[in-house]
Amino acid sequence: MMLNTSDYLYTILIVAFNESIKSVTRITSLYSFVSVLTGVFISITVRFVAFGLLIRCRGGADCSAHNGIIGAQVLLGIAGGLFPATKHKHVAVVTGLYLASYLIGSALGNCISGAIWTQVLPGELESRLAPFGNATATTAVYGNPFGYVAEWAMDTPERQAVVQAYRHTQRLLCVTDICLCMPLICFALVLRNPKLGKEQSLPDAEKYVEGHGPVGGEQRKWYQKIL
């Protein structure tokens, strides 16, 4: 699960960074663009380096050859991890599992990031804009941030107060994102690897369709067979 801080990045870049619309559009597209290229190019680069080590370390009993072959195998493993691949017949299943996990995580991330944004930012704006004596400034900034930044230059005290409020909110979003990712990584490392057989389905699977499934003890045996 990852907080969708990118959903608010467009607003943050305009309000807190004073970026132009053209610049904001390019910056918000960088993640998708680079993430696609990185896996391919880095994987290919690491793979060439690994094979270079294998060519150089073709044998020998000295320490350099030993370390070289170990390093080459490690780099090949990294390259394999960066370049995800699976058998053609498993592509649909792997893609479905990935998209399902991604969408569920995105939904949860949207809930959390939305709660932080709506609960933290208005209070920060109110407290930081209070010294300027404008009771409606908070509502104006939160409701129409693009209209506000068009009226107040970046070097004005009012704009800097808004920038600090956005900076504080963005910091909380990023810290929360990191904290939520760490447990998921730990859970992934301790998951039990399921044992999958070579058969595509159980031999008697077609017998247990709707209305004709096993009952009682037979049902327990059938579930144990599946598990």
Side-chain angles (χ1 to χ4, degrees), residues 43-59 63-81:
S43 175
I44 294 175
T45 302
V46 173
R47 189 173 292 271
F48 274 116
V49 174
F51 278 108
L53 286 174
L54 289 174
I55 293 173
R56 181 177 179 83
C57 304
R58 298 186 301 275
C63 183
S64 60
H66 174 75
N67 294 335
I69 192 65
I70 292 176
Q73 293 301 311
V74 171
L75 289 176
L76 283 175
I78 295 174

Side-chain angles (χ1 to χ4, degrees), residues 170-225:
Q170 176 71 354
R171 178 176 178 272
L172 291 180
L173 286 171
C174 294
V175 171
T176 306
D177 192 355
I178 295 174
C179 293
L180 290 176
C181 284
M182 292 307 297
L184 294 179
I185 295 175
C186 296
F187 292 152
L189 293 176
V190 299
L191 284 176
R192 185 179 62 180
N193 293 327
K195 296 181 179 179
L196 301 178
K198 294 182 180 180
E199 62 274 5
Q200 183 176 359
S201 60
L202 293 176
D204 299 329
E206 296 182 358
K207 295 181 180 180
Y208 304 110
V209 293
E210 294 183 5
H212 301 283
V215 294
E218 293 183 1
Q219 186 177 32
R220 287 194 296 270
K221 293 179 181 179
W222 186 62
Y223 285 131
Q224 289 173 359
K225 187 176 181 181

Side-chain angles (χ1 to χ4, degrees), residues 3-17:
L3 298 191
N4 294 331
T5 54
S6 58
D7 292 347
Y8 306 103
L9 185 59
Y10 190 94
T11 305
I12 292 172
L13 287 171
I14 292 180
V15 177
F17 288 83

